[in-house]
Every structure is written in C-alpha cells, then in structure tokens.
Amino acid sequence: MSTNPADPVNILFAATDRHWETYEAPLRTALDKADLSYTLATDLPPGSVDFIIYAPNGDLQDFSPFMRLRAVLNLWAGVEGITGNPTLTAPLARMVDHGLTQGMVEWVLGHVMRHHLGMDAHIVNPQHIWEAKAPPLARDRQVTILGIGELGEACAKALDTVGFQVTGWSRSPKSIPGISCLHGETQLAGALARADILVLLLPLTGQTENLLNADRLSQLPPGAVILNPGRGALIDDSALLKALDGHLAHATLDVFRTEPLPPDHPFWAHPKITVTPHIASETRPASASEVIASNIKRSIAGEPLLHLVDRSAGY
Ligand code: NAP
C-alpha cells in the first residue's frame, strides 16, 4: 500500500536510551535527506505509530497495540530476539549496513591473521625463544566460513584477496568467484573437514542452534581454530571445551549464550580460548540511519522493503 510521500509518518524509536543518544541526530539527518515528513520520538500513542526502529534488548515486546504499524526496522543484523514474537505481524527488516559489514571483515581478517601467522608465540615469549620458522603462505591455509550471507560473503572475498583457500557454506546454493561454495546438510562435513580455520557467521535459528556439536567438532582437522562472531548458541559449549582439550588448537569467541559472559564461566580461564566482548562489529549510526530512511521511503511508496526477514526461516 502506498501513501502520499507528503503525508507525515510517525516513527517510534524503541531501543535503549544510550541508542537514542547516538541515533537521534543521524536519523533526523537521514530522514530529512530522504525528504520525509515525519515525527520521530521515543514515546508515541501506539495507535498512531507507522514504523518502529527497534533493538530487541529494549522494553518493547508486545506489538499488538500498534494497529497501523507498517514495518519494524531492526537496528541489528541478528533477529533471533524478535522472529518468534507472535504479537508482531508487520514486516520485519533486519540491518544490513556497510559500516557493520566492514567492521566484521576487519575483525575476521585480524583474527584469521593472528592464528595464520602464529602471532601469539612472538607476542608472549617470556623465555625469549628464538625459533626461526616462517609461517606458511595464505595460499597454503584453508578457511571455511559457515554462513556466506552479507557478512560471510564480504569476509570470504577479503580472505580470498589475501590468498587463503576459502570455502563458504550456506543453506541455498551459491556461486561466488574465488570461493568454493558448498551448501546444505550433506555438504557440511566436507566444509568442516577442510577448515584449518573455521569462521561462524550464521544466524541463530532452530536449524543452526548447536550446529557445532561434539560430532561436528570432531570433523574438524587436528589443530583447527574456530572464530565465532556469529552467535554463542551455534556451538555446544561443553562439547567445545572437550574438543579444545583434544584436537582443536584454539577458539576465539565474540558471542555467548549469556552476555556479558559470567565471570565464573570456564571460557574465561581456558588457555585455548580468547574471549572478545561482542565487539566484532556493530551497526554504525550514520550509515544505518540511511538504510532505515530508505526503507521507510520504500514502504511509503509501496515498494518492498530491503533486507526483509523470512520469519519462517528465522533470519
Ligand atoms: P545473512 O545475510 O542473513 O546471512 C546468513 C547466512 O547464513 C546465509 O548465507 C544463509 O544461507 C546461512 N544460513 C542460515 N541458515 C542456515 C542453515 N540452516 N544452514 C546453512 N546455512 C544457513 O546474515 P548476516 O548479515 O551475514 O549476519 C550473520 C549473523 O552474524 C547475524 O545473524 C548475527 O547473528 C551475527 N552478527 C554478529 C555481530 C557481532 O558483532 N558479533 C555483528 C553482526 C552480526 P543462505 O545464503 O542460503 O540464505
């Protein structure tokens, strides 16, 4: 349904106060630039709201009073906190933002290079050991990325540019120049078996929860390294601890089942685990605001939303 672009729309910002402080100015800039006539506020009568800009960790969980809601625009890429909400019937768009993507590429590239070059041995070397052994070239190292959507594909291309042998795994078949693309349950074992370094960039859904269980972890080659900037529940925590006490070399984890990671969690103290505090990447307010403004404009014009979530697939 399209409406006259000159008609004002009411946009509710439903996220934390901290988000509002960061997003209000860039959102107004982007909405003005898109020539939209709007009211943007953190509190509006539910029956008057056309669009909700949303972060799933805020207070709003019941969408049923929003009778004329046209869309919910998620501030985050991950939507597992909202896809199962039965009170939401309006279309849901997730965040695809080039700043967010670039941040993830940099995090993944940095952590891949740490393990590829064996940097730790030289950074922490209290005995001053002089072992003159050069690392292999990237072309001799295989990196597998589970999930080659917006973020995974950008990471795959960056790693390919450096020279790594990159395999990507997704739900549907794909063809990406330079990347060996596998898909579906039956090709997962092959993707794991070749992973010197495994990167998880899957969304958390009913199909991906605990995907890396004891059996799948055992399919990784000896000495493999896991990087998880996807979601904590993609990995079975206790199976990971066991595999690290066995054939795996290291896991660098950015995301966890409970965040912040509780102080007594065994991941903190494990010598083969690096914890980063969910900082792999984040939505950048200026570029994300432009994505939101353009989606509101599309909706007003009766055009399909960009980055629409398939609620049945869960992402
Ligand atoms: P996306 O574009 O939706 O890509 C998801 C990828 O996962 C797609 O390739 C999809 O396959 C694949 N996939 C989904 N379910 C699958 C299944 N059952 N089997 C095999 N492959 C499956 O998502 P994105 O924007 O790249 O984001 C990925 C995730 O990164 C987010 O959901 C979020 O959890 C996480 N993230 C983390 C941070 C952080 O700071 N740590 C920041 C942003 C995002 P198809 O291509 O076939 O659909």
Side-chain angles (χ1 to χ4, degrees), residues 94 148-151 169-172 174 229 254 281 315:
R94 66 192 199 89
I148 37 169
E150 289 293 332
L151 301 178
W169 181 75
S170 54
R171 201 161 63 109
S172 53
K174 287 198 189 302
D254 184 58
S281 192
Y315 68 101

Side-chain angles (χ1 to χ4, degrees), residues 155-276:
C155 293
K157 286 176 173 164
L159 291 163
D160 173 57
T161 302
V162 178
F164 290 101
Q165 298 174 45
V166 185
T167 297
W169 181 75
S170 54
R171 201 161 63 109
S172 53
K174 287 198 189 302
S175 169
I176 305 170
I179 313 300
S180 169
C181 293
L182 302 177
H183 70 278
E185 180 91 24
T186 52
Q187 296 186 348
L188 178 56
L192 293 173
R194 64 176 76 165
D196 297 323
I197 298 176
L198 180 74
V199 183
L200 300 184
L201 274 169
L202 293 161
L204 181 60
T205 69
Q207 279 71 49
T208 62
E209 186 168 3
N210 288 320
L211 186 91
L212 272 201
N213 55 21
D215 181 40
R216 303 244 171 70
L217 287 165
S218 74
Q219 293 166 16
L220 289 166
V225 166
I226 296 175
L227 309 181
N228 186 12
R231 282 293 181 261
L234 297 172
I235 310 182
D236 175 334
D237 287 5
S238 45
L240 176 65
L241 287 166
K242 279 202 192 103
L244 285 166
D245 291 339
H247 74 299
L248 295 188
H250 200 91
T252 295
L253 310 173
D254 184 58
V255 283
F256 306 90
R257 283 165 196 270
T258 306
E259 294 183 6
L261 186 65
D264 58 349
H265 196 286
F267 285 172
W268 282 114
H270 199 289
K272 290 180 167 181
I273 292 182
T274 300
V275 169
T276 63

Side-chain angles (χ1 to χ4, degrees), residues 16 38 52 60 64 90 98 103 123 129 154 174 181 195 256 282 308 314:
T16 62
Y38 63 92
I52 299 179
L60 174 56
S64 45
H98 64 78
I123 293 168
I129 294 166
K174 287 198 189 302
C181 293
F256 306 90
E282 66 178 3
L308 193 62

Side-chain angles (χ1 to χ4, degrees), residues 45-75:
S48 72
V49 171
D50 299 290
F51 297 96
I52 299 179
I53 299 170
Y54 187 70
N57 65 344
D59 293 335
L60 174 56
Q61 299 299 330
D62 181 8
F63 291 91
S64 45
F66 296 90
M67 302 298 285
R68 72 176 219 202
L69 188 60
R70 302 171 67 138
V72 171
L73 308 161
N74 207 46
L75 281 173

